[in-house]
Amino acid sequence: MPETLTFLGIESSCDDTAAAVVRDGSDGPAILSSVVQGQTRLHAGFGGVVPEIAARAHAERLDHCVEQALAEAGVGLSDLDGIAVTAGPGLIGGVLSGVMCAKGLSAGTGLPFVGVNHLAGHALTPRLTDGLKFPYLLLLVSGGHCQFLIVNGATDYRRIGGTIDDAPGEAFDKAARLLGLNQPGGPEIEQAAKAGDPDRFALPRPLLDRPGCDLSFSGLKTALLRARDGLVAQQGGLTRQDQADLSASFQSAVCDVLTEKSRRAIALYLDLQPDEPAFAVAGGVAANMEIRAGLKALCDKAGVAFVAPPLALCTDNGAMIAYAGIERFRLGLLDDMALSARPRWPLDDTAAPQLGSGRKGAKA
Ligand code: KG4
Ligand code: ZN
């Protein structure tokens, strides 16, 4: 196995078409390029991601993204040691587009390829950015996912809690829709909240009365809907200040829930007596500054290092997939043309399914 590995990473599981080149050597990993083509505009008129539109856009754009990533990295296909691709979980049309692209490149070049779990990409990002040692605690908070994972190794994850209904990003997106703000809702709510009073509306902090690290956000969304409807009934609509106050109250409730549940997750994690305890946050919601600040303060108090990747590496990207592919490759885990795209693929197969489970098994 060469000491230095250069991998192309391909990501297309939701609404970002992404490709990146990552090199990992004796000095640690480096991102040589990272190209992300978002699809926000394509889905804007529909109030959410339309899977069919997303899949077509991925199929059209992947080649260009890959070309651009190679050009920006200053490497050709012959300089690569392998290709990593998101093989799930996600919207099946998009995942298929990426897997087919990787298989095509592999068939044409003879390069090995590795199918990567999208969540593993997020979960291993703190190793790419900060070289974290196993085991560390991870809070994955995105538009589709919310879980606490103890990351014991590149293929060894223990889920100790997660949402029983909506993911926080989904809750931010729905809240923004209720308040007449644009999508994606997280950054819009965060922006509006800056001018708002977080104490004006007493929104609930769901599930804090229940022990453990499970979370819930759907009741919070309903409470926001009631508060909004109350104002609309009273005064015929929402003022800018109402929007700001509702945003601030909502964000503050999400932040309180995430912080308290993280406190409990950290206690469970510290029972393992890790040598260099660290708590990392990943996923799109980790871009939220109030949430980051709340979690950082918690970690400072607990004597645990807090790691929040740069914003561009919190949201979906190809670099995290390239890096996760390198970690799998170093463990001898390769795929072949039989690799299939998996819409459902939990990181911890042993944890009881909480969300979206059914005949086909747990979603993630
Ligand atoms: O990880 P991501 O890019 O995609 C997946 O869901 O996998 O996360 C996107 C989610 C969206 O729901 C978006 O509203 C949320 O992350 N988000 C934020 C912020 N930036 C993005 N939520 C709260 N505050 C933010 N600043
Ligand atoms: Zn993601």
Side-chain angles (χ1 to χ4, degrees):
M1 170 95 45
E3 200 189 336
T4 298
L5 290 174
T6 307
F7 261 60
L8 171 71
I10 296 173
E11 157 61 34
S12 57
S13 64
C14 189
D15 61 347
D16 289 305
T17 314
V21 178
V22 171
R23 180 166 287 159
D24 184 40
S26 50
D27 296 341
I31 300 172
L32 303 189
S33 67
S34 182
V35 177
V36 180
Q37 286 191 15
Q39 301 178 359
T40 307
R41 244 175 0 95
L42 288 181
H43 304 284
F46 300 95
V49 177
V50 183
E52 187 60 25
I53 294 176
R56 280 170 195 270
H58 288 307
E60 281 166 12
R61 295 172 175 189
L62 270 166
D63 291 4
H64 303 287
C65 264
V66 168
E67 269 176 2
Q68 198 183 333
L70 292 172
E72 286 182 15
V75 301
L77 285 169
S78 58
D79 300 312
L80 297 175
D81 296 296
I83 300 164
V85 61
T86 299
L91 300 173
I92 188 66
V95 180
L96 262 174
S97 304
V99 168
M100 296 312 290
C101 177
K103 284 184 180 177
L105 282 169
S106 171
T109 57
L111 284 169
F113 71 97
V114 184
V116 167
N117 184 310
H118 176 86
L119 304 176
H122 281 302
L124 296 172
T125 297
R127 286 171 59 75
L128 166 63
T129 56
D130 292 77
L132 279 196
K133 304 239 171 17
F134 300 123
Y136 54 90
L137 175 65
L138 179 90
L139 169 60
L140 176 58
V141 269
S142 71
H145 304 285
C146 177
Q147 47 193 303
F148 289 105
L149 292 164
I150 293 177
V151 185
N152 289 311
T155 60
D156 183 356
Y157 304 88
R158 199 177 124 217
R159 196 180 70 196
I160 57 170
T163 183
I164 60 167
D165 42 52
D166 292 350
E170 195 179 356
F172 269 106
D173 293 341
K174 288 177 180 167
R177 223 167 285 142
L178 289 177
L179 301 182
L181 300 170
N182 290 330
Q183 295 294 315
E188 293 284 321
I189 297 251
E190 182 171 18
Q191 186 55 31
K194 286 187 182 146
D197 171 8
D199 298 321
R200 175 161 162 212
F201 299 94
L203 299 179
R205 271 59 176 160
L207 242 51
L208 288 194
D209 53 343
R210 203 197 274 186
C213 307
D214 285 343
L215 309 100
S216 160
F217 295 99
S218 75
L220 184 53
K221 180 190 65 200
T222 311
L224 184 77
L225 172 69
R226 293 225 180 86
R228 180 203 70 173
D229 287 352
L231 288 174
V232 172
Q234 252 174 34
Q235 52 190 48
L238 295 184
T239 63
R240 264 196 184 281
Q241 193 57 50
D242 295 334
Q243 265 182 339
D245 293 344
L246 284 165
S247 294
S249 302
F250 178 82
Q251 180 172 273
S252 159
V254 174
C255 190
D256 282 357
V257 170
L258 287 174
T259 309
E260 170 55 21
K261 294 291 177 166
S262 297
R263 194 186 59 73
R264 298 179 196 179
I266 288 172
L268 284 177
Y269 162 69
L270 287 178
D271 282 348
L272 300 177
Q273 302 188 322
D275 286 342
E276 295 175 28
F279 176 62
V281 62
V285 180
N288 186 287
M289 289 302 168
E290 184 178 334
I291 293 172
R292 279 184 183 228
L295 297 176
K296 164 119 190 14
L298 179 74
C299 287
D300 288 349
K301 222 163 133 191
V304 171
F306 176 66
V307 173
L311 301 191
L313 293 174
C314 282
T315 48
D316 290 349
N317 64 86
M320 68 179 190
I321 302 304
Y323 180 72
I326 290 174
E327 291 237 20
R328 284 185 75 81
F329 189 77
R330 289 206 189 278
L331 295 173
L333 299 168
L334 281 184
D335 285 287
D336 58 27
M337 290 297 164
L339 174 71
S340 50
R342 297 174 64 175
R344 293 157 183 267
W345 188 1
L347 266 184
D348 179 356
D349 284 323
T350 62
Q354 281 177 309
L355 196 62
S357 57
R359 272 184 305 122
K360 292 181 188 151
K363 209 158 103 186

